[in-house]
Amino acid sequence: MNVIPLPKKYTENEGVYRIDGKIRSDFDLPLIADYTEKSDGASFEIIKDEDVANEGYKLTVTPERLTVKASSKSGAYYALQTVRRLCNFDLGGREVPCCEIEDEPRFKWRGLHLDESRHFFGETEVKRLLDFMFTEKLNIFHWHLTDDQGWRIEIEKYPLLTEIGSKREYTQVGGWGSGDIEYIPHGGYYTQEQIKNIIAYAAERGITVVPEIDFPAHCAAAIAAYPGLACFEKKTEVPGYFGGLIPEKQGNLRWNRTLCCGKESTFDFVFGVLDEICDLFPSEYVHIGGDEAPHGEWKRCEKCQSVMRKNALKNEKALQGWFESRLISFLKEKGKTAIGWNDIIECPGLDDDGKSLVIQYWTPKRDKHAERYAEGGGAMILSNHQSFYFDMTYAMMPLDATYNYNPRAFGIDADGDNVLGVEGELWSEWIPGREKLDLNAFPRMQALAEVAWSQENKRDFSDFKRRLDLLKPTLEKLGIGYAVDRVSLNKNIILSSKVQSEFRKGNPLFETELNKEYKAEGEK
């Protein structure tokens, strides 16, 4: 069996079926029109069967006939992706080994995240990524469209968000801890029409697009466009630095600034933005961020302090909980469910009944708040840093760290109905374009797909590596610049105790020391 992700049940039989380019289908499947011709008498048939699990399929291949049974269009497409791999279709293969397969996903949330605030990729690159998600049976595209370093989506009510907030004059380069700045303007954003096109493109591939619009922190680009959103109004530019390096011209204002909670005009802005987001995106979910919110300006802001006194909020964390609860309630009224990073549930007073908020558990350390939330039935997505942060180097996060992900190490029972699934994160601080994107995403995307789709007791890293080696010629044919196995290059870099210690503590500055060690080994 050379399929990734590994099917739930399969039996290999003798013989092959040869695809002749004719097919009969109970489903309208326009994506296969270039490869097949519809024919009522075809021996390759796709049958609608309501007894098959949603997104699942049954595949029977004999020398005379290939039959797919599915209850949904997505299930039919996933079966065809399995056929595609079985016969090496992209390499010109047309002989499908005889077999019987019953397959369905382990998790309903099989996600990949792309950060376009730090670097903007554009419609062509996003659609290319969606195509590869489709082949790996991933079904959630988490689209990070706003952050400090750029606002990437047109909001008609607030045109300055893209006129000003989508552009920066410089970009930090060289990795975490580097002080190097590249003074080249960077910008870009999506019109609402482009957003609709990408949503439709994803939907045809069974992929739901979930937008992330961060509040109340990571709002420096929005504040550069509308300075009145901040506690202290001061003209600032869109920052191009990522890790706390603050140029002198920004004064003492942080790169990661929070919106002012003491002005009702702040909520007019936030709700105005979310109104347009809810209208644009059919997804039942909207991600509101909520992580890494500094409270320093709130402590000095009389308006914020007044809200705290009026609502009997004992500290600024409770003020953030009050802020987030208003957003969660607003989205609920719009028929949407809010998602927030697990930092958010540290805020007292948050509406955390498990029905109006989904937590995305990302932190490197175990989070007792997240564990209690899950134990109480709170909905959760798993994307823990050590396994699913695909922006990291392979030396720090080798492929088996993704493949062997164990949620129990973070205090989570992933078999509960409240765990929606898993997601890989492509943060783009140090990913400026396709070459680096491919390097960081592949073959981690294949490992993620198997964690998300396949049964845990069937996973075996050695067998996965065998199947991955068989897939590599296809990746090359498709123009994917995947990361090569460092063992195959006869590299065996041992991380120093200092780097290991910093990583265990969750300190991002481990990258600085790691880069030094790579250079010592002659690596780029």
Side-chain angles (χ1 to χ4, degrees):
M1 179 59 59
N2 65 339
V3 175
I4 297 175
L6 191 70
K8 185 176 182 179
K9 296 179 182 178
Y10 60 89
T11 302
E12 299 175 76
N13 299 321
E14 293 294 326
V16 297
Y17 169 85
R18 182 165 181 81
I19 297 173
D20 63 6
K22 295 180 181 180
I23 192 169
R24 191 201 71 76
S25 175
D26 290 344
F27 297 94
D28 179 24
L29 304 172
L31 296 180
I32 63 173
D34 292 340
Y35 307 103
T36 60
E37 173 188 338
K38 291 183 180 179
S39 173
D40 288 339
S43 60
F44 188 151
E45 59 180 354
I46 301 174
I47 301 170
K48 187 169 186 177
D49 185 342
E50 298 292 351
D51 292 333
V52 178
N54 182 41
E55 294 191 294
Y57 63 89
K58 293 181 179 179
L59 173 64
T60 303
V61 185
T62 68
E64 296 78 28
R65 183 168 293 275
L66 189 156
T67 303
V68 169
K69 292 183 179 180
S71 61
S72 66
K73 183 175 176 178
S74 291
Y77 269 141
Y78 292 149
L80 295 178
Q81 295 296 352
T82 296
V83 171
R84 179 179 181 176
R85 289 281 169 80
L86 283 170
C87 69
N88 290 316
F89 190 91
D90 294 296
L91 299 176
R94 296 297 182 270
E95 292 187 342
V96 185
C98 292
C99 61
E100 294 178 49
I101 293 176
E102 291 185 32
D103 203 7
E104 63 182 277
R106 181 187 182 196
F107 291 117
K108 64 181 180 180
W109 187 289
R110 305 182 302 279
L112 188 69
H113 155 284
L114 179 65
D115 163 25
E116 285 209 75
S117 173
R118 279 55 179 259
H119 282 97
F120 179 75
F121 296 95
E123 187 171 354
T124 298
E125 292 301 318
V126 167
K127 288 181 175 178
R128 178 176 181 264
L129 190 63
L130 291 169
D131 284 339
F132 294 136
M133 288 178 62
F134 181 44
T135 66
E136 305 305 332
K137 304 183 176 78
L138 300 173
N139 67 344
I140 301 290
F141 178 53
H142 173 179
W143 205 1
H144 193 92
L145 288 163
T146 73
D147 213 301
D148 297 297
Q149 293 82 12
W151 187 284
R152 305 297 180 203
I153 180 170
E154 176 189 28
I155 301 296
E156 293 176 351
K157 189 174 182 179
Y158 298 104
L160 296 184
L161 287 173
T162 47
E163 289 179 24
I164 295 174
S166 70
K167 306 167 187 175
R168 63 175 185 257
E169 295 302 314
Y170 60 94
T171 300
Q172 180 185 354
V173 293
W176 297 111
S178 167
D180 296 338
I181 299 292
E182 187 175 69
Y183 288 94
I184 298 174
H186 183 82
Y189 68 91
Y190 294 98
T191 66
Q192 293 199 3
E193 195 59 36
Q194 288 175 311
I195 294 286
K196 292 175 185 177
N197 289 339
I198 290 170
I199 291 171
Y201 191 90
E204 184 55 45
R205 289 151 180 79
I207 298 170
T208 299
V209 181
V210 176
E212 181 175 350
I213 311 296
D214 279 10
F215 299 122
H218 292 290
C219 288
I223 292 171
Y226 294 96
L229 293 170
C231 292
F232 304 101
E233 189 168 337
K234 178 179 179 180
K235 184 174 176 57
T236 55
E237 61 186 0
V238 178
Y241 41 90
F242 308 123
L245 298 170
I246 305 176
E248 291 182 5
K249 57 184 173 182
Q250 289 285 62
N252 64 354
L253 297 177
R254 290 180 57 108
W255 58 279
N256 173 13
R257 296 189 67 193
T258 44
L259 303 179
C260 180
C261 295
K263 303 175 186 176
E264 197 58 31
S265 57
T266 297
F267 292 95
D268 292 339
F269 169 81
V270 170
F271 296 154
V273 169
L274 291 178
D275 257 330
E276 294 191 30
I277 294 296
C278 291
D279 289 344
L280 268 176
F281 290 86
S283 164
E284 66 177 291
Y285 300 101
V286 174
H287 206 304
I288 57 173
D291 63 315
E292 300 175 329
H295 299 155
E297 291 188 47
W298 293 353
K299 291 178 184 292
R300 297 183 287 116
C301 174
E302 180 52 37
K303 293 183 176 66
C304 287
Q305 294 299 312
S306 176
V307 166
M308 288 173 60
R309 290 190 294 270
K310 181 178 178 180
N311 292 279
L313 304 174
K314 66 178 182 179
N315 56 32
E316 286 71 24
K317 273 196 174 182
L319 178 61
Q320 185 179 347
W322 175 83
F323 176 95
E324 304 288 8
S325 292
R326 289 190 65 176
L327 271 62
I328 294 166
S329 296
F330 176 84
L331 289 171
K332 196 173 183 179
E333 290 172 6
K334 301 283 289 186
K336 304 289 188 181
T337 299
I339 303 174
W341 300 105
N342 60 283
D343 313 44
I344 203 172
I345 52 174
E346 296 181 21
C347 302
L350 191 69
D351 178 7
D352 60 356
D353 60 8
K355 297 178 181 178
S356 55
L357 177 66
V358 175
I359 291 304
Q360 188 156 8
Y361 191 177
W362 76 273
T363 48
K365 297 179 182 179
R366 286 183 63 161
D367 181 348
K368 62 182 179 181
H369 302 284
E371 291 177 38
R372 284 199 295 264
Y373 193 76
E375 288 168 2
M380 181 168 289
I381 301 158
L382 303 173
S383 55
N384 298 103
H385 187 281
Q386 287 93 328
S387 293
F388 295 125
Y389 266 45
F390 293 172
D391 55 305
M392 297 171 63
T393 65
Y394 281 85
M396 279 312 308
M397 196 190 82
L399 189 60
D400 60 353
T402 298
Y403 190 84
N404 292 325
Y405 173 68
N406 180 5
R408 290 176 290 280
F410 295 89
I412 302 298
D413 176 10
D415 293 325
D417 291 339
N418 58 316
V419 176
L420 303 186
V422 297
E423 181 179 291
E425 314 300 316
L426 280 166
W427 298 103
S428 69
E429 287 94 339
W430 321 116
I431 302 179
R434 175 184 292 189
E435 182 178 0
K436 190 68 164 63
L437 186 70
D438 278 7
L439 184 72
N440 283 55
F442 298 94
R444 284 168 170 159
M445 190 188 293
Q446 282 72 36
L448 167 69
E450 194 138 308
V451 173
W453 181 278
S454 305
Q455 300 303 303
E456 185 177 20
N457 62 0
K458 295 285 185 71
R459 297 206 320 259
D460 177 84
F461 187 62
S462 296
D463 183 64
F464 171 77
K465 286 291 294 296
R466 177 190 63 79
R467 286 177 284 124
L468 180 61
D469 285 341
L470 294 172
L471 178 63
K472 286 177 180 178
T474 296
L475 298 181
E476 292 164 10
K477 177 74 173 180
L478 296 174
I480 299 173
Y482 62 89
V484 297
D485 189 335
R486 63 192 172 108
V487 175
S488 70
L489 290 178
N490 198 27
K491 297 288 184 184
N492 187 20
I493 298 173
I494 305 300
L495 302 180
S496 70
S497 59
K498 181 176 181 180
V499 171
Q500 293 182 49
S501 173
E502 292 303 301
F503 178 61
R504 282 194 295 270
K505 291 188 292 186
N507 184 353
L509 294 180
F510 71 78
E511 188 104 2
T512 303
E513 293 300 320
L514 180 62
N515 286 339
K516 291 179 184 176
E517 292 186 24
Y518 260 123
K519 288 175 183 176
E521 292 286 342
E523 265 317 271
K524 285 202 298 183

